[in-house]
Each structure stands twice: as C-alpha cells, then as structure tokens.
Amino acid sequence: EAQVTQNPRYLITVTGKKLTVTCSQNMNHEYMSWYRQDPGLGLRQIYYSMNVEVTDKGDVPEGYKVSRKEKRNFPLILESPSPNQTSLYFCASSSRASTGELFFGEGSRLTVL
Amino acid sequence: DQQVKQNSPSLSVQEGRISILNCDYTNSMFDYFLWYKKYPAEGPTFLISISSIKDKNEDGRFTVFLNKSAKHLSLHIVPSQPGDSAVYFCAASDGGTYKYIFGTGTRLKVLA
C-alpha cells in the first residue's frame, strides 16, 4: 500500500529537549516536504527536498532542521523545542515537484511544555 | 502576507445541493492549483488540481474553476453528500520555487 508514515503520532516534551519526527514514504517519490498546521493559519511549509541531499527552506523554517540522506526518509529535527512549536505536523511526498499531487502522512501532534 | 486566502471559515449546505468553496490568491507566478480534503485525525487527501493554462477541470462530482484575471479559483461539489463534510484546503505552487502555499481552510458541513 502506498503511504507516508510519520512517527511519533503524538508526543509531549519539554522545552529544550531535542526531538526527531521521522517520515518515510514507499512510493519512490523524489519530492518530500514538511508542514505545520495551526488554527487560523492553515498549512505552512517548513522545509522541502527535491531529492537526496537537496533541501530548502519553506515559509517557516526557524527552529527546525531536516536531512535527506535516503530517498525514502525525510526526518524533521527540533534541536531545542520551544512552546511556539506546539503544533500538528504533516510530512508529504510527491512524484513531481510543484505540479504533483502531494501524499500526506497522518500527522504528528507535538506539544512542547 | 497570506498569498492564498480562503475567506469563508465555514459553509453549510443541504445534501444534494451544490457546495461552492472559494479561494483567492495574490501571486501571479503561481502556475498550479490544488484542492485537498481533510477529515479529523487524518492527513489531507488530494481532490483535484488545475494548471494555470486551463480554466476548468472536472472529476466526477468535483469541478475546479480558475479565473486568472481575478486571481480566484473555486471548487464545486455537485451533488453534495454527508461524507463530503470535512475541511477543504486550496493550495498553489510556483514552479520556480517548488513551494506549495496553502490557504487556511474552509469547513464544509453537508446536512442530511
């Protein structure tokens, strides 16, 4: 089954404790990206990757890092989480950048205390 | 600066009638537009898309209209069904930047 898998689905952590949200896709897609969803703000792009070892900033990259060492994986790293990073996070992938249908994971709800 | 705007946070429609969801954008460089549906506790799922070189695209009950001069697109759902109740996001992409910009969403409720 074609899917994008995120882990963890739910996480409560404390300020400053580094965490990683993993994302894996099994569709051999080249394009992957991360979004956060906040009330009244919709989905905002954090980072995206055109291919292995190629990443770029989206609209809200501050406080986040990503890496793309393998085609299927695109982890989101919060080096020092803060309460304003409490949000619902989605990973997505696509076979074509900018004109392709994005396939989304089920989301990871993160709370930073 | 919200480049993609969905000005109606919510919409209620009777089952069987037409649902019209609207989206406005400001960036004339956008060349591809998409609509997504999102149920609670799930990720968004793709519905329909349209290239900027077209003004209409149909897929079953869903039709997207693009008016480039007005920088406006709309999603028509006919006939509306209770299972269509969800949050709908429009999105736009710019082939030069490879970014996707999403609107804030419209919650559609189809009343049985």
Side-chain angles (χ1 to χ4, degrees):
Chain A
E1 180 191 352
Q3 59 186 3
V4 177
T5 304
Q6 298 178 224
N7 280 296
R9 294 287 315 279
Y10 302 91
L11 179 65
I12 300 174
T13 189
V14 295
T15 299
K17 187 176 181 181
K18 180 179 178 180
L19 68 92
T20 299
V21 186
T22 63
C23 174
S24 181
Q25 50 95 3
N26 62 1
M27 295 168 279
N28 201 37
H29 285 168
E30 293 187 345
Y31 185 89
M32 296 186 75
S33 59
W34 276 101
Y35 300 83
R36 59 179 289 175
Q37 183 186 4
D38 302 290
L41 297 176
L43 289 157
R44 295 180 293 168
Q45 192 170 35
I46 303 170
Y47 268 95
Y48 62 96
S49 169
M50 298 291 292
N51 212 327
V52 176
E53 302 292 359
V54 181
T55 63
D56 210 342
K57 295 177 181 178
D59 289 326
V60 288
E62 296 79 18
Y64 304 95
K65 284 175 58 178
V66 293
S67 69
R68 188 91 181 272
K69 293 184 170 57
E70 304 166 284
K71 197 171 188 179
R72 63 182 292 128
N73 295 323
F74 190 44
L76 179 69
I77 303 156
L78 286 73
E79 292 271 2
S80 182
S82 62
N84 64 12
Q85 293 179 297
T86 292
S87 188
L88 179 58
Y89 292 87
F90 291 99
C91 179
S93 71
S94 175
S95 58
R96 297 188 308 278
S98 82
T99 61
E101 167 191 348
L102 286 168
F103 289 83
F104 282 85
E106 292 186 307
S108 296
R109 183 166 292 282
L110 171 65
T111 301
V112 183
L113 301 175
Chain B
D1 176 26
Q2 194 77 21
Q3 297 186 65
V4 177
K5 298 179 185 179
Q6 293 177 258
N7 291 318
S8 298
S10 63
L11 175 68
S12 291
V13 172
Q14 283 296 132
E15 181 180 7
R17 307 294 289 266
I18 184 171
S19 295
I20 300 176
L21 295 94
N22 294 304
C23 182
D24 297 297
Y25 62 96
T26 58
N27 188 342
S28 57
M29 297 300 292
F30 289 145
D31 52 10
Y32 200 72
F33 303 89
L34 311 94
W35 283 94
Y36 283 82
K37 177 168 71 173
K38 185 182 181 304
Y39 293 119
E42 294 183 12
T45 53
F46 173 76
L47 261 181
I48 192 168
S49 62
I50 187 167
S51 163
S52 61
I53 63 173
K54 296 186 175 182
D55 54 19
K56 178 182 175 181
N57 189 26
E58 275 183 271
D59 185 359
R61 296 187 297 114
F62 303 94
T63 303
V64 57
F65 295 92
L66 176 62
N67 181 334
K68 287 188 291 294
S69 61
K71 294 191 176 68
H72 177 84
L73 67 154
S74 60
L75 174 69
H76 292 210
I77 306 173
V78 184
S80 300
Q81 300 173 353
D84 296 329
S85 297
V87 177
Y88 289 78
F89 291 99
C90 68
S93 69
D94 168 359
T97 64
Y98 306 110
K99 289 183 180 180
Y100 288 83
I101 308 294
F102 282 79
T104 53
T106 296
R107 184 177 301 277
L108 173 65
K109 189 171 185 178
V110 180
L111 307 168

